[in-house]
Each structure stands twice: as structure tokens, then as C-alpha cells.
Amino acid sequence: MVKDTQLRMASATDLAELRSWFSALSDLRSWGGPEMGWARDEIDWLHKLQWPDAQSFAMLNSQRLLGFGQLRFSLGEKGGGYCHLARLVVHPEARGRGFGMRLVTGLMALGEALWQPDYYSLFVFENNQTALSLYSKLGFQQVGHYGDRRSVLRLEKRVGTAIQRIGS
């Protein structure tokens, strides 16, 4: 059940399992960004997951890893702080059951508790319609792109803006 999930700091065991969720390079890059590539071994995988000042979180249900995401706080160009959500993913067998919504809202709540940001941001490929639909329901709006990569959208949401209710 979606409500029986918990978020905690990701462990090395979580990160090793996460690696098994990707069988195609295109899926890995869609999740980890255009520069993400195959890891040679476990150490290389952990190195690829490192992101300066980011914290990695695992979403579990009855001790089963169901989701993963990273958070990072930065001062924004707009004069306030923002919490950037990155590398968001739900276990392939658990998709389409509301865990993505639970993962993102849980991470946003953690970001607020940790840093009291003014807004959230994230990047998503423009062809990832499932993710775009979820982020739209959460109140995210497109504000730009990832540098000169027109296929990667930058989305933002001000803290406190409404989330569309889609059942409980």
C-alpha cells in the first residue's frame, strides 16, 4: 500500500539494488541525466551517484526498496533558496501505483524540514510524459532548460503552491 512507505537516507545496499533497475543505457540516462553512463563496477557506480552537497534518500515499503531520489539546497538566482530534486525513480515493478507521488511529496517535505527553501526545482526530459504529468499535478511549471539542451526541461514550484488532489 502506498501509505505504508518511509523515506530514509539511502544505504550502500540500496544503491547497489538501484543499479539493477536499469537495463538500457537510454533508461539510465533518462534517469541520471545526459552524462550518465554505465558503471564499470560498484565503486564506479557509487562515484557516478555522488553529487556535491546532495543527500540521497531511499523510499521503502516493508523494507523493500521502492524509490530513490536526491536533494540539494542552493541559493538561487532569484534571491531565495531552492531545494533541487534529482534522480527520482520508482522501482520498475511498482510504477503506476502512486509511489512516484509519494516519493516526490516526501522528498519535498524533507527539503522543507531541512532547509526551508523558497522553491523546488528539477530537470526532466521533455519526452517523459509520465513524469511531466506527475510534476504538473504537484504544481511544477517549466521555467527553462538544462543549459543548451532543449530536450531537458527545468521545472520549478514555489513552496506553498497548491497540489492538485487526485484521491487519497
Side-chain angles (χ1 to χ4, degrees):
M1 178 175 236
V2 174
K3 291 183 181 181
D4 296 331
T5 59
Q6 64 172 343
L7 277 172
R8 64 161 167 72
M9 295 293 287
S11 69
T13 303
D14 298 329
L15 299 177
E17 181 180 340
L18 175 66
R19 185 176 176 198
S20 73
W21 294 2
F22 302 98
S23 59
L25 182 58
S26 60
D27 293 338
L28 187 62
R29 287 192 172 147
S30 178
W31 166 72
E35 293 85 19
M36 180 63 88
W38 289 118
R40 294 181 306 275
D41 54 33
E42 194 106 353
I43 300 297
D44 189 35
W45 175 247
L46 295 176
H47 178 72
K48 287 180 182 303
L49 290 178
Q50 289 182 349
W51 190 35
D53 303 320
Q55 297 182 29
S56 297
F57 294 93
M59 182 177 71
L60 296 101
N61 176 276
S62 301
Q63 302 307 311
R64 179 177 178 219
L65 181 64
L66 291 178
F68 174 86
Q70 293 179 317
L71 295 178
R72 179 179 177 195
F73 180 78
S74 297
L75 293 176
E77 299 167 0
K78 299 176 181 178
Y82 72 90
C83 178
H84 187 76
L85 290 78
R87 296 185 174 151
L88 306 168
V89 65
V90 170
H91 189 290
E93 295 174 5
R95 293 178 184 158
R97 300 190 340 220
F99 290 112
M101 177 72 75
R102 186 74 170 180
L103 174 66
V104 176
T105 58
L107 288 170
M108 288 176 10
L110 277 172
E112 279 189 52
L114 290 169
W115 302 300
Q116 299 83 46
D118 296 307
Y119 59 100
Y120 304 101
S121 65
L122 57 84
F123 294 109
V124 62
F125 280 92
E126 66 183 355
N127 65 351
N128 189 341
Q129 292 303 310
T130 302
L132 284 168
S133 175
L134 169 63
Y135 303 145
S136 176
K137 289 174 186 171
L138 290 169
F140 282 87
Q141 297 181 336
Q142 181 181 348
V143 296
H145 296 88
Y146 180 72
D148 63 351
R149 295 178 194 254
R150 307 301 292 171
S151 63
V152 182
L153 308 177
R154 179 182 173 89
L155 306 181
E156 290 183 1
K157 171 188 168 47
R158 288 210 54 87
V159 171
T161 55
I163 295 174
Q164 292 180 17
R165 295 291 174 205
I166 54 169
S168 49

